């Protein structure tokens, strides 16, 4: 029986929020490096599915399966496996199933998996060989989740002005000219990790996760930030529907290359994501949507190993920008 680790799935983080402001300046140009594509046998299936149900319901992409659809799939750049709701698998009569142990942030459960043929995303058609089946209620009533197995060589674009999410072919160097900040990242198990980052002066590895509502730190980061203001506990529900609580603290400043975000709320958990990526012994942070949405646009380009940020409004590079009222813009 296979073991599928899906750590922060559907992490509905309920905890205190804080005002945020950001200072941004233009970084030096970076050179693209083609990623190494992991073979199927090398990849450990790690799924981090997290969303705020009402706020991010519209941020889906259309997918067709076996010529039927379109179906609403959320995009999770922190997930290595694509997931289907059990209802959708039944509707499509995907009856060839096997058992697997599904490891969530708070629980382990035996679930069914299935092969998904004729999976179409835009112009791409592929076969998903092992897709875990979960209850739709545990993934925000979406039809499924797009994981990294379907995003190789793609660009994920979060447009917070247009309130939409897009998955397109990587545009290469020419496509990054319209963005204000371009940050290089390293690839590990298909995920992009930013090393040029710090939080309150502590060097930190950052995983950009479009599936996480809030930001989650590992225990080593919690130890280093132990003197920061504690805000209470955050409550997170994993993909199996089991809830877990974690300490939450307020960090004064997060710096990612040239971008600076103040007043960052961080919850802490011993997520299997950190273990799978080898991010246990040094401070690491899963950067969630609560911080990403402070920008107008964020693009994660897997082919060039870059994360691209677009400044809010007409703010010029180097100018401070306050987000006290803009932070909840997706509800507009």
């Amino acid at each position: 029986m296979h073991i599928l680790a899906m750590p922060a799935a559907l992490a509905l983080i309920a905890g205190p929020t804080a005002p945020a402001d950001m200072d941004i300046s233009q970084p030096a140009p970076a050179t693209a490096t083609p990623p190494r594509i992991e073979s199927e046998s090398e990849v450990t299936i790690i799924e981090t599915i997290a969303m705020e149900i009402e706020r991010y319901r519209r941020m889906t992409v259309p997918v067709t399966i076996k010529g039927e659809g379109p179906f609403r799939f959320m995009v999770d750049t922190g997930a290595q496996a694509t997931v289907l709701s059990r209802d959708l698998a039944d509707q499509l009569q995907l009856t060839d199933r096997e058992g697997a142990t599904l490891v969530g942030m708070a629980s382990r459960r035996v679930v069914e998996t299935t092969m998904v043929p004729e999976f179409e995303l835009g112009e791409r058609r592929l076969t998903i060989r092992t897709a875990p089946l979960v209850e739709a209620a545990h993934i925000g009533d979406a039809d499924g989740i797009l994981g990294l197995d379907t995003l190789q060589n793609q660009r994920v674009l979060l447009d917070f002005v247009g309130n939409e999410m897009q998955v397109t072919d990587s545009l290469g160097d020419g496509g990054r000219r319209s963005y204000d900040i371009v940050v290089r990242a390293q690839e590990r198990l298909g995920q992009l990790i930013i090393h040029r980052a710090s939080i309150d002066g502590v060097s930190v590895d950052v995983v950009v996760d479009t599936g996480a509502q809030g930001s989650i730190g590992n225990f080593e980061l919690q130890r280093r930030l132990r003197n920061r203001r504690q805000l209470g506990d955050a409550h997170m529900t994993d993909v199996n529907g089991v809830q877990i609580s974690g300490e939450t603290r307020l960090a004064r400043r997060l710096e990612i290359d040239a971008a600076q975000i103040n007043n960052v709320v961080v919850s802490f958990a011993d997520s299997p994501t950190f273990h799978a990526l080898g991010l246990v012994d040094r401070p690491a942070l899963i950067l969630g949507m609560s911080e990403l949405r402070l920008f107008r646009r964020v693009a994660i380009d897997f082919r060039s190993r870059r994360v691209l940020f677009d400044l809010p409004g007409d703010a010029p590079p180097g100018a401070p920008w306050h987000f006290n009222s803009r932070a909840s813009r997706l509800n507009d």
Side-chain angles (χ1 to χ4, degrees):
M1 180 177 289
H2 298 291
I3 296 179
L4 306 177
M6 309 176 74
L10 193 60
L12 302 179
I13 301 177
T17 58
D21 61 78
M22 180 184 298
D23 298 319
I24 304 175
S25 58
Q26 186 72 25
T31 303
T33 304
R36 180 176 69 89
I37 304 300
E38 300 282 352
S39 70
E40 186 177 357
S41 61
E42 292 176 300
V43 174
T44 301
I45 300 178
I46 300 296
E47 182 68 23
T48 304
I49 304 172
M51 69 198 73
E52 184 177 355
I53 295 175
E54 292 300 326
R55 180 168 295 176
Y56 302 124
R57 176 166 293 172
R58 290 174 296 172
M59 301 194 73
T60 60
V61 294
V63 165
T64 62
I65 300 174
K66 298 172 62 176
E68 298 186 37
F71 304 108
R72 297 183 306 113
F73 273 62
M74 298 191 70
V75 180
D76 188 347
T77 59
Q80 286 188 336
T82 293
V83 176
L84 266 66
S85 72
R86 179 177 295 278
D87 290 342
L88 179 59
D90 291 342
Q91 175 185 335
L92 296 174
Q93 298 183 351
L94 300 175
T95 57
D96 186 10
R97 302 180 184 182
E98 297 181 356
T101 299
L102 186 61
V103 181
M105 175 173 283
S107 63
R108 297 168 62 100
R109 293 287 186 271
V110 176
V111 301
E112 291 182 318
T113 66
T114 189
M115 184 177 70
V116 185
E118 301 178 48
F119 187 97
E120 294 188 41
L121 174 63
E123 299 298 321
R124 302 177 67 219
R125 174 181 287 196
L126 60 154
T127 296
I128 308 297
R129 297 190 179 279
T130 305
L133 305 183
V134 301
E135 299 299 329
H138 297 164
I139 56 173
D141 290 324
D143 294 314
I145 301 291
L146 286 182
L148 294 174
D149 51 354
T150 58
L151 297 176
Q152 289 299 313
N153 296 324
Q154 300 292 295
R155 166 177 287 185
V156 176
L157 171 63
L158 302 170
D159 183 348
F160 294 106
V161 176
N163 282 336
E164 65 179 3
M165 180 182 290
Q166 299 176 356
V167 179
T168 63
D169 289 339
S170 174
L171 300 180
D173 290 342
R176 61 189 177 97
R177 295 171 185 168
S178 62
Y179 290 86
D180 298 299
I181 296 177
V182 180
V183 182
R184 296 184 65 184
Q186 291 187 352
E187 179 268 337
R188 189 177 303 170
L189 293 180
Q191 292 178 304
L192 296 184
I193 303 173
I194 298 173
H195 295 291
R196 296 176 59 182
S198 65
I199 185 165
D200 284 357
V202 177
S203 179
V204 64
D205 292 329
V206 174
V207 179
V208 177
D209 188 350
T210 62
Q213 175 199 344
S215 294
I216 302 173
N218 66 358
F219 282 170
E220 178 60 22
L221 181 61
Q222 181 182 25
R223 185 184 71 82
R224 300 289 291 272
L225 299 181
R226 62 185 178 276
N227 294 326
R228 301 302 181 266
R229 176 185 170 192
Q230 187 169 351
L231 301 177
D233 289 344
H235 304 287
M236 296 165 277
T237 304
D238 73 6
V239 72
N240 294 314
V242 178
Q243 189 176 91
I244 189 173
S245 298
E247 180 182 276
T248 301
R249 292 188 179 272
L250 180 64
R252 293 189 294 269
R253 179 177 300 174
L254 171 64
E255 295 177 276
I256 302 177
D257 199 83
Q260 176 179 301
I261 304 174
N262 296 331
N263 298 327
V264 179
V265 176
V266 182
S267 302
F268 298 97
D270 190 25
S271 169
T273 296
F274 296 126
H275 290 268
L277 296 176
L279 300 177
V280 175
D281 297 330
R282 55 168 288 143
L285 179 73
I286 296 173
L287 188 68
M289 294 289 282
S290 58
E291 282 66 52
L292 295 175
R293 72 186 183 201
L294 299 179
F295 298 89
R296 293 182 70 249
R297 295 185 301 164
V298 177
I300 301 98
D301 194 326
F302 289 96
R303 175 174 295 175
S304 66
R305 294 180 180 176
R306 287 189 175 94
V307 182
L308 305 91
F309 301 93
D310 206 9
L311 298 180
D314 298 323
W321 192 267
H322 298 280
F323 291 92
N324 293 359
S325 61
R326 190 182 177 92
S328 60
R329 175 163 188 141
L330 287 180
N331 277 335
D332 294 349

